[in-house]
Amino acid sequence: MTKEDNQIKIWTDPPADKLGNSVKDFLNHLGGPTWIDVTGRDCSRCRVVTTLLHGNEPSGTKTLYQWLMSGTIPEVTMHFLVCSVEAALTTPEFSNRHLPDRPDMNRCFKPPFDGVEGRVAEQVINRIRSLAPEAVVDIHNTSGSGPDFTVTSHLTDKHRALAARLSCRLIYTGIKLGALMEVELGIPIITLEAGGSWDLEADLTAMKAIGHLTAENDLFAAQAAPEVDLFAHPMRLEALPGTTLDYDTEKSSETDLTLHRDIEHHNFGVTAKDTALGWAGEDILERLVVQDYDGKNRVRELFYVDGGEFCTACDLRLFMVTTRPRIALSDCLFYLVKA
């Protein structure tokens, strides 16, 4: 490491023989949040890739390690951020979204920037602003299995063109959670959700993304980018604190809501009206929130309970569906739009 930026180390043009023999070696060598800067053929321009904001989402880091080991010289200078290293290395490895009793790193990119994570987020923002890159791509894995997609808080022609290089599905959202992509920097920032953490297809999607970002001269050439399937202004199904949740093939008597164990198969397809997603008592609708952009809870317009089954009240398209109760309860059960 050649220098430190407060909480974040910076490593410039790392040689392959210093990267370690595995992704775990690589992360142990980094030790903490690290910028990896790789000089490109054109040093007058640069791009930024961030990854491992969540410690249980390894595809971006795995493919970055492979790309660095290849010794490829990028078209323009690249700045890679590997962020939640400590969380990723906490046993069991690549299973902790963030450290216990610490905030979600990708909810800290907004004032007041408190605590270690807040300071790291502020430094990331400041460095990206000073670098003035052509674009930022933030690589994640989804909390459950499912196809890849991109997410953006802004929708310019450049956002569309860049997103189309990464996935055929684009979510345009105004929900503000404190994520990196929400920061106003005057440049395209796209989140790539590559797929499930242990899906081979997710690693291939992340590798394809890094390939585009490092090898292409013009990221925004419209003729090279196909049209994307746009999902505009999704809402989130969230559970109130104290709600209990499980995923199973039959109703659990110990939880407020039991969702089907295979609910992930609804990701991005059309889930028809009156589809049973699981089991619950009538009072579950008092414990769930689907807040629209006017602040109204629309849960009763979208779901109902009949005969103990939790059902859809209209045709929906669900995405970011997870089967991990801890993540579902701390973040959301899934996102949705009306079909």
Side-chain angles (χ1 to χ4, degrees), residues 169-248:
R169 289 165 286 269
L170 172 61
I171 297 169
Y172 170 45
T173 176
I175 297 172
K176 300 296 184 183
L177 300 172
L180 173 60
M181 71 171 185
E182 299 162 17
V183 180
E184 297 283 353
L185 292 171
I187 54 174
I189 306 178
I190 295 288
T191 295
L192 170 62
E193 296 280 356
S197 297
W198 303 110
D199 295 347
L200 174 60
E201 191 64 33
D203 294 349
L204 297 175
T205 296
M207 180 60 78
K208 178 182 174 183
I210 288 177
H212 281 306
L213 291 160
T214 58
E216 295 189 10
N217 183 59
D218 184 358
L219 291 176
F220 310 110
Q223 67 272 18
E227 284 296 312
V228 294
D229 191 2
L230 180 65
F231 299 78
H233 303 301
M235 297 176 286
R236 291 159 46 98
L237 177 63
E238 301 177 70
L240 296 177
T243 304
T244 53
L245 171 68
D246 199 4
Y247 297 84
D248 211 331

Side-chain angles (χ1 to χ4, degrees), residues 73 118 121 129 132 164 242 261 303:
I73 299 174
R129 184 176 286 116
R261 185 175 290 171
F303 302 97

Side-chain angles (χ1 to χ4, degrees), residues 229-297:
D229 191 2
L230 180 65
F231 299 78
H233 303 301
M235 297 176 286
R236 291 159 46 98
L237 177 63
E238 301 177 70
L240 296 177
T243 304
T244 53
L245 171 68
D246 199 4
Y247 297 84
D248 211 331
T249 56
E250 59 185 21
K251 178 177 173 56
S252 169
S253 61
E254 299 179 359
T255 59
D256 299 313
L257 175 63
T258 307
L259 294 177
H260 292 160
R261 185 175 290 171
D262 64 351
I263 192 172
E264 288 175 324
H265 82 268
H266 290 285
N267 266 317
F268 284 99
V270 175
T271 301
K273 178 183 177 181
D274 302 320
T275 298
L277 300 178
W279 303 269
E282 292 287 346
D283 62 344
I284 192 61
L285 298 180
E286 301 296 330
R287 307 190 65 83
L288 299 177
V289 176
V290 182
Q291 184 171 295
D292 67 16
Y293 288 79
D294 295 320
K296 179 183 177 182
N297 184 6

Side-chain angles (χ1 to χ4, degrees), residues 92-171:
E93 295 152 8
F94 294 119
S95 65
N96 298 283
R97 186 177 176 93
H98 50 82
L99 292 172
D101 303 318
R102 300 273 284 275
D104 182 326
M105 185 68 229
N106 206 31
R107 300 294 182 265
C108 294
F109 289 92
K110 61 181 179 181
F113 302 113
D114 289 334
V116 173
E117 288 77 10
R119 291 193 294 274
V120 168
E122 186 173 29
Q123 289 160 28
V124 170
I125 293 169
N126 289 339
R127 187 159 201 250
I128 293 174
R129 184 176 286 116
S130 69
L131 291 170
E134 293 179 333
V136 177
V137 173
D138 182 24
I139 301 177
H140 287 258
N141 287 106
T142 54
S143 297
S145 291
D148 57 79
F149 58 95
T150 54
V151 192
T152 182
S153 293
H154 302 84
L155 199 60
T156 67
D157 289 343
K158 282 191 171 183
H159 285 83
R160 283 180 179 269
L162 177 57
R165 290 183 180 278
L166 307 174
S167 176
C168 63
R169 289 165 286 269
L170 172 61
I171 297 169

